[in-house]
Amino acid sequence: MEVLYLPGDKPPVLFFPGGHCSAAVDCGWSLYTSIGHGVLSFSRPGYGLTDVGRLTAGEFVPAVAECCEVLAVDEAAGAVGVSFGGMQAIQVAVAMPGVVPRLVLHSCAPSTLAYPDSRLESVSGPIAFAPGLQSFTWATVARLVESDAGLRRMVGALSKRRIDDWWHTWSEQDRVLARGLFKTMGSGSGFVNDLQQAGADRGAYRRLFQTKVSCPTLVTASRDDAGVAFTHAEDLANTIPSATLVELDAPSHLFWIGPAHGQVQAALSTFIAATA
């Protein structure tokens, strides 16, 4: 199992990246290091160097628990899931309440509702990001985002707003971060494994575990996110006891990049302080 452990002045969060991201890819964990928390980030099954077979999120929990034991992480600041990583964060919060005092779900799917949200994504995703083809797909993306025009195209696909309406709000550093993100993405066998757990046939199972979460929970999402429908955030907030939903102004799925970064960080600081 592959992990990235960055100790901090404050207890670490157990961080579960979204689809196409391994442990080392910053898909939001810098929000936590910037406020002093350590980060223990996991490459979920099929991503990076985690080679444990096609384990479900529930089946992967013992490996997470063992890693925490080996690294002497007796109490984390919380479990954090981004996008597809929300499934794992929920399972960990339910199974490890002594280690995980709070749960944070950023732009997560699936919920009780199935994911992907569109028929086109459901059909194209398993093909473009299949283990045998995904390296070609991401090599093509890496070449595309070399130019600003290509980067705009990729980022624009993750927004429901016209990119001309908000592209100017991103600094040059924001664009560097987004470009680096796309260049380090890879699906391995993980994305297909995620999709197999995200269908309508497992909706009742996911809802069961959402209702079992006993710790305070923060759910963040944006209505302008074209990667994950806002209805997933609403479902998570409605089914998880003690959940709070914070609607973000982020123009895309990349909520940690751009001006919305400060809004997310403020929501996190308020939530952590209120649940201390």
Side-chain angles (χ1 to χ4, degrees), residues 86-113:
M87 288 191 294
Q88 190 65 64
I90 289 170
Q91 291 283 341
V92 167
V94 171
M96 300 169 58
V99 177
V100 176
R102 57 183 67 84
L103 172 65
V104 183
L105 302 172
H106 296 296
S107 304
C108 286
S111 55
T112 300
L113 307 173

Side-chain angles (χ1 to χ4, degrees), residues 216-231:
T217 301
L218 174 66
V219 180
T220 72
S222 170
R223 293 183 189 274
D224 291 325
D225 182 350
V228 171
F230 192 75
T231 49

Side-chain angles (χ1 to χ4, degrees), residues 2-15 23-24 29 33 37-43 67-68 70-76:
E2 178 183 55
V3 301
L4 171 71
Y5 186 32
L6 301 174
D9 295 330
K10 301 176 183 178
V13 295
L14 308 184
F15 192 89
W29 51 250
T33 58
H37 285 282
V39 167
L40 177 53
S41 180
F42 293 80
S43 291
C67 180
C68 289
V70 169
L71 294 175
V73 177
D74 300 320
E75 183 174 0

